[in-house]
Amino acid sequence: MSSDRLGRPPALLIVPAALATLLLVVPLVSLVARTPWRRLPELLFTEEVGLALRLSLLTSTVALAVCLVLGLPLAWFLARTDFPGRSLLRALVTVPLVLPPVVAGVALLAAFGRTGSVGGPLRDLTGITLPYTTVAVVLAHVFVSMPFFVISVEGALRTADPAYDAAAATLGATRWTTFRRVTVPLAMPGIVAGLVLGWARSLGEFGATITFAGNFPGTTQTMPSLVFVELQHDQEAARVISLVMLAISIGVLTLFRDRWLGTP
Amino acid sequence: MSLDVRVVVPGRVEAAFTSPLGETVAVIGPNGAGKSTLVGAVAGLVRAGGHVRLGKEELTERTVRDRRIGFVFQDKLLFPHLSALANVAFGPRSRGTPRRAAEQTARDWLERLGIGDLAGRKPGQLSGGQAQRVAIARALATDPQLLLLDEPMAGLDVRVATALRIELAHHLAAYGGTTLLVTHDALDALTIADRVLVLDEGRVAQFGTPAEVAAQPATEHVAQLVGLNVLRDGDHFTAFPPSAVNVSLDEPAGSARLHWRGTVTNAAPHGEALRLRASTESGPELIADVTPAAATELSLAPGRAVWLTVKETAVRRY
């Protein structure tokens, strides 16, 4: 390795780097090591886990679709157009990234709750209430994962050379054609990376979901909520469900890593 | 009927010219003279004041798309995710031609540029010369009313550029529309163009036929491009070929009026001779051709202090 020629890495860097690795790896290894393999089938193949898994996959996938349909245009506006207040808009989009999830849940209640600023009029007009429904789970997921998606895609759009947009315009393409046939294909690796990031964030979402949508098996109880419930009375069950989520996460990561994320 | 352009980009370009429709105008000048900015402004890609009129059409306020131009970019900008065929078909398809017809048009253009067999390749699988042919085909396939080429030969090796230059001249003649060709190569300007626009520091230094510009260059840059020494004194120019410059190590005695003390900055083979570039104390940069024997005898290498003299009989004034 060429860095060897510059001398050994200093101990002052080796020790913290090793500690960082341990901190990240030990919990995951422990989770796998302490899996009650013998009880696994009985703990895993229950109606509750089946319902939660189905709901988690459904809501995170729908949330992802919403992110793509609404978030991609937003990312395009942030990356490719110039309008007053663009920096402010970008700042607002990033707020949910740093917001505690439970606060996100409270904010969603304030907006879409029975008496919320949108939820109140909605109930008066149509009789529909959102909290504690599967739609609320999706809303919570969208709220927390959209910023990941938008920021990641905006970065990808900025890296894709805008000169290609200019070339397309000289060839007679409208901005929509350019978006569809040039910009999006060129930014595709970044878009997929954003989808993976957003989906992972959505799958793991707990705080906003339980605050805004509750924890009812079959309608709003996602995998993380189920883990939280199981932890109260059967830690082994909680570990088994967590193992499933770990497996899903690693599976998605390896599936997309080689093809899109570009890092070995 | 003419192409009437006035471009003002504060601090960079302030240039105007009028050229008959159907002609090819070469835009030449040193790096940073504003050549790319000028064609960018004509295309609408660079924000600029002034106007662009093509015959009766006023292009100034139109978007890039609605100007109906063809643009060959310096770095080609072929869409990397599309095949050569899809790149060329992109223009016609964007203008509403159905896919099949657009692909047929694209195929015809690739054939015409001699790369019909490369239709299925992605830009990453093409050589520089092949990619530039695709870029030219892509621009022409939209049937533009105005064709803009920004240094189409840049980055190609000499052999490829020479072949492409001949072809390009042929295609431009067949195209029949109005063309602006940015180049830093005197050959392009003199062989392909009907008119030459010389830009210097963002302003038009000269606008004329290739013969006029070659015979009486108005800037040192163009003079060197066409292989002439030109000294400017107000509106008066003094021109002499490099072969008329005598190089010696001692101060020349006698009546030669034109002599300079200078330093050799560059020496390169030029035909049978060695072409020297020398910076002089009084200002102008001169080129001089000497025989290899003389160069060896006088140790003429970069850094060497020399005297340069020109016989009055070899000088042309205008």
Side-chain angles (χ1 to χ4, degrees), chain A residues 230-243:
Chain A
E230 291 292 353
L231 211 52
Q232 320 288 320
H233 55 91
D234 186 352
Q235 295 216 355
E236 288 197 337
R239 283 207 294 276
V240 167
I241 302 164
S242 300
L243 191 71

Side-chain angles (χ1 to χ4, degrees), chain B residues 75-106:
Chain B
D75 32 13
K76 304 177 194 77
L77 294 177
L78 295 177
F79 304 126
H81 60 294
L82 298 179
S83 67
L85 185 76
N87 262 284
V88 180
F90 188 95
R93 281 194 65 188
S94 295
R95 297 271 183 215
T97 308
R99 188 197 188 103
R100 277 197 178 200
E103 284 183 353
Q104 193 50 52
T105 306

Side-chain angles (χ1 to χ4, degrees), chain A residues 75-86:
Chain A
W76 182 84
F77 269 98
L78 289 175
R80 281 290 197 276
T81 61
D82 208 2
F83 54 89
R86 194 183 56 174

Side-chain angles (χ1 to χ4, degrees), chain A residues 190-236:
Chain A
I191 293 171
V192 173
L195 285 176
V196 172
L197 263 179
W199 185 77
R201 177 69 187 88
S202 170
L203 192 72
E205 162 50 32
F206 171 66
T209 310
I210 209 160
T211 311
F212 178 50
N215 192 7
F216 303 112
T219 51
T220 69
Q221 187 175 67
T222 58
M223 290 287 272
S225 309
L226 182 60
V227 170
F228 178 73
V229 171
E230 291 292 353
L231 211 52
Q232 320 288 320
H233 55 91
D234 186 352
Q235 295 216 355
E236 288 197 337

